[in-house]
Amino acid sequence: MKWEKFKPPEPDDPMCCCECDVDPHGCCCDCDDLDEACSRWLKGEPQKPDCVLPVFGAVMDRLRVRLLPGDRRVELSMVPALVLLPLLLRLAALHFLLGLVILTALPGLVLLYYYATHRKKGRTLFFLSLALFSLAYMYFLFVTEILPRGDVSHLQLVTVTTGVVLTLISLVRTKRGPGFVQPSLAAIHSTNQSQLPDKHSASQNEVDQSMMPASPAKPVEQQTQSLTAKGGTCPLCKVVRPPRAGHCRICGGCVQRLDHHCIWINSCVGKANHRNFLLTLLLFLLTSLYGISLVLRSVCPRQNLLTALLYCPGVYNQYSSALCFTCAWYSSIVTGGLLHLLMLQIINISYNLTEREAQLALRKKNGQSRLHGLVVDTGVYSRGFWQNWAEFLTMGEPADRHPSALTDLV
C-alpha cells in the first residue's frame, strides 16, 4: 500500500546507516540526497543541479575506509590531497600551458569542494590533509630536487628544516583546543534543582508573578545582541557563556572569544589557541617565502627574485627544473592566500576585534567599514593600538578545555 512508506518507523525496524553508531561496512549515507540521486540515476532521469554538490559532499565527508583494526578508519576526503596533488603538479611541469591551466583551476576546485561541504556544516579532513601534505611534499621536493644541485648550503637546509618543524609544533599546539565553554557546577546544581520544584515554592512563585507587572517582551535582535555583548545562556549548548563567546555549529560547542572556524586546521580559533594560530601562520609564511627564494635562485639564477616567477627562460627544457618551478608557483599561490589571512588577523587584533564580530558588524551595519570591508571598527572593545595588542598577547588561557580536543591532531 502507498501509505506504508509514510508511516513512522517502528522500534524494531532496521536502522538506517546514518542512525547507527557502529557501521560494519564502514560507511554512512545521506539518505535524502543519495536516495533521490540514485533513484534518478536508475530511472535515467537527469540530476538536479542543486543535488550534485550535496551528494558529492556527503560521499566524500561521510564515507570511511577501514584500514586499521578496531574502530580506526581513514576518511576518503584525505585521498584527493594525497593522490591528486602530486599528480597534478607533475602534470603541470610538462608544459607551461598545462601549468597555467592546472594552477588556475586548482584553487577553483578547492573552492568548489569547500562550498559542497560547507553547506552541510560538517567536519572534513580534506583541507587539513591538503595543508599538511603540501608542506611535506614541498619539503620532500626541496630535499630531493634542489639540494643535489649544490646551490643550497647546510645552513640554509637547517633553516628550512627548522621552520618546517616549528610550524608543525605550533600547529599541534593550536590543535589542542580553542577553549570551549564548560558548564559550571553552580549551573548544573541550579538546573538539577529546577527540575525538582517544590509545590509550595511553585505556588508562591505563581502568586508573586501574578502580582508583578508584566514586562514588555524584547525583540529577537535585542536578545541576540545582549547575548553577544553580555554573555548569557546559549540556546543550543544550554551553557552560560561569557562575553564575546560564540557557538560553532561545526564543532558543536561554544568557544570563548570565538574568532572563526578555520577549515585548514579543522578546528575553531578562540581564546585558548588564537596566539598559537597566529604564530603558525607567521612561521609557515616565513618558511615558505624563504624556501621559494632558494628554489628560484637555484632554478633561475640569472633572474631577479621579483621577476623570476614571471619570466624564467629555459626552465621547461629540463623536467626537474620545470617541476621545481611549478611547485614554487603553487607555493606562491598558497602563501598569497595565507598572507591575506594573516593581514586580516593583524588588522582585527589591532582593533581588538574578532572575525566573528567583524562579520556581525558588517551584517548589522553597526560598524565603520573601510577599504571595502578589509578594516572594520565597531568601537566597542578597542582601547588603542598598543593596549589592544597587549591584551591579546597577555590574555590567559581558559582552564577548561574540550575533552576531545586535547590530543586530537585531526
Side-chain angles (χ1 to χ4, degrees):
M1 297 178 67
K2 293 183 178 181
W3 62 271
E4 288 289 338
K5 62 180 181 180
F6 296 107
K7 71 174 184 177
E10 300 294 335
D12 295 333
D13 288 348
M15 290 188 301
C16 173
C17 56
C18 294
E19 302 172 348
C20 184
D21 294 334
V22 180
D23 181 18
H25 300 289
C27 67
C28 271
C29 65
D30 190 18
C31 296
D32 295 336
D33 296 329
L34 291 182
D35 286 350
E36 183 179 0
C38 290
S39 62
R40 284 180 171 271
W41 177 70
L42 292 175
K43 295 178 182 179
E45 298 178 356
Q47 298 289 340
K48 293 182 178 180
D50 56 348
C51 187
V52 177
L53 290 181
V55 170
F56 179 74
V59 172
M60 296 302 296
D61 280 345
R62 302 196 177 190
L63 196 59
R64 304 292 188 268
V65 177
R66 187 189 296 273
L67 295 180
L68 300 175
D71 293 334
R72 298 179 180 179
R73 296 170 184 172
V74 178
E75 289 191 6
L76 283 183
S77 60
M78 300 173 60
V79 176
L82 302 178
V83 177
L84 293 181
L85 180 63
L87 181 63
L88 291 177
L89 290 179
R90 291 187 175 274
L91 184 63
L94 296 176
H95 197 270
F96 75 96
L97 290 179
L98 280 175
L100 182 63
V101 172
I102 291 177
L103 292 178
T104 304
L106 192 59
L109 294 176
V110 174
L111 288 176
L112 180 65
Y113 182 77
Y114 168 74
Y115 286 119
T117 56
H118 186 70
R119 290 183 56 185
K120 306 185 71 64
K121 300 293 183 182
R123 298 171 68 92
T124 176
L125 294 180
F126 171 78
F127 301 99
L128 178 60
S129 60
L130 179 62
L132 291 176
F133 186 68
S134 297
L135 182 63
Y137 189 65
M138 294 302 107
Y139 181 75
F140 171 76
L141 290 179
F142 180 80
V143 174
T144 57
E145 299 291 341
I146 299 299
L147 191 61
R149 293 171 175 265
D151 300 328
V152 178
S153 64
H154 293 287
L155 180 60
Q156 292 172 338
L157 176 62
V158 170
T159 304
V160 174
T161 306
T162 304
V164 173
V165 173
L166 291 179
T167 302
L168 294 177
I169 293 176
S170 181
L171 177 61
V172 172
R173 292 176 60 87
T174 306
K175 288 289 296 179
R176 288 182 178 179
F180 287 92
V181 180
Q182 301 294 334
S184 60
L185 295 177
I188 297 176
H189 180 71
S190 62
T191 303
N192 295 333
Q193 292 295 330
S194 62
Q195 293 177 355
L196 299 174
D198 186 37
K199 295 182 179 180
H200 178 72
S201 60
S203 60
Q204 185 67 27
N205 289 334
E206 290 179 359
V207 174
D208 295 341
Q209 290 179 1
S210 63
M211 298 180 63
M212 292 288 291
S215 59
K218 293 183 178 180
V220 179
E221 285 190 11
Q222 294 183 5
Q223 293 179 3
T224 306
Q225 292 178 0
S226 63
L227 282 176
T228 304
K230 301 180 181 179
T233 303
C234 177
L236 299 177
C237 296
K238 307 300 181 183
V239 296
V240 180
R241 59 189 185 190
R244 307 188 72 178
H247 182 86
C248 178
R249 296 182 180 272
I250 299 178
C251 294
C254 286
V255 180
Q256 300 187 34
R257 202 179 183 274
L258 175 63
D259 188 82
H260 71 286
H261 181 90
C262 183
I263 58 175
W264 297 107
I265 64 174
N266 195 28
S267 176
C268 285
V269 177
K271 184 177 181 180
N273 63 349
H274 200 168
R275 287 175 297 186
N276 290 324
F277 175 75
L278 193 68
L279 181 61
T280 304
L281 284 179
L282 186 60
L283 289 173
F284 179 84
L285 289 175
L286 292 177
T287 305
S288 179
L289 290 175
Y290 186 68
I292 292 173
S293 65
L294 294 179
V295 171
L296 292 179
R297 286 176 181 174
S298 177
V299 175
C300 304
R302 300 179 180 179
Q303 299 295 326
N304 189 7
L305 288 178
L306 298 178
T307 60
L309 279 175
L310 301 177
Y311 180 72
C312 185
V315 70
Y316 283 92
N317 295 334
Q318 186 180 3
Y319 181 76
S320 177
S321 301
L323 179 61
C324 295
F325 183 75
T326 303
C327 292
W329 254 108
Y330 172 75
S331 301
S332 300
I333 295 174
V334 176
T335 302
L338 294 182
L339 183 61
H340 178 262
L341 178 59
L342 180 63
M343 290 177 57
L344 291 179
Q345 289 290 315
I346 293 176
I347 292 174
N348 289 336
I349 295 172
S350 301
Y351 284 91
N352 199 358
L353 194 70
T354 63
E355 182 64 23
R356 173 175 172 269
E357 294 168 350
Q359 295 297 327
L360 289 176
L362 290 177
R363 188 182 307 169
K364 298 177 182 179
K365 298 181 180 180
N366 55 4
Q368 297 180 359
S369 176
R370 305 184 183 93
L371 297 178
H372 302 284
L374 185 64
V375 179
V376 180
D377 184 16
T378 59
V380 179
Y381 302 103
S382 181
R383 301 178 182 176
F385 179 83
W386 299 109
Q387 291 293 331
N388 294 336
W389 274 97
E391 179 181 345
F392 174 78
L393 295 176
T394 58
M395 63 179 181
E397 295 186 2
D400 296 330
R401 290 180 181 268
H402 198 278
S404 64
L406 288 174
T407 58
D408 182 21
L409 180 60
V410 297

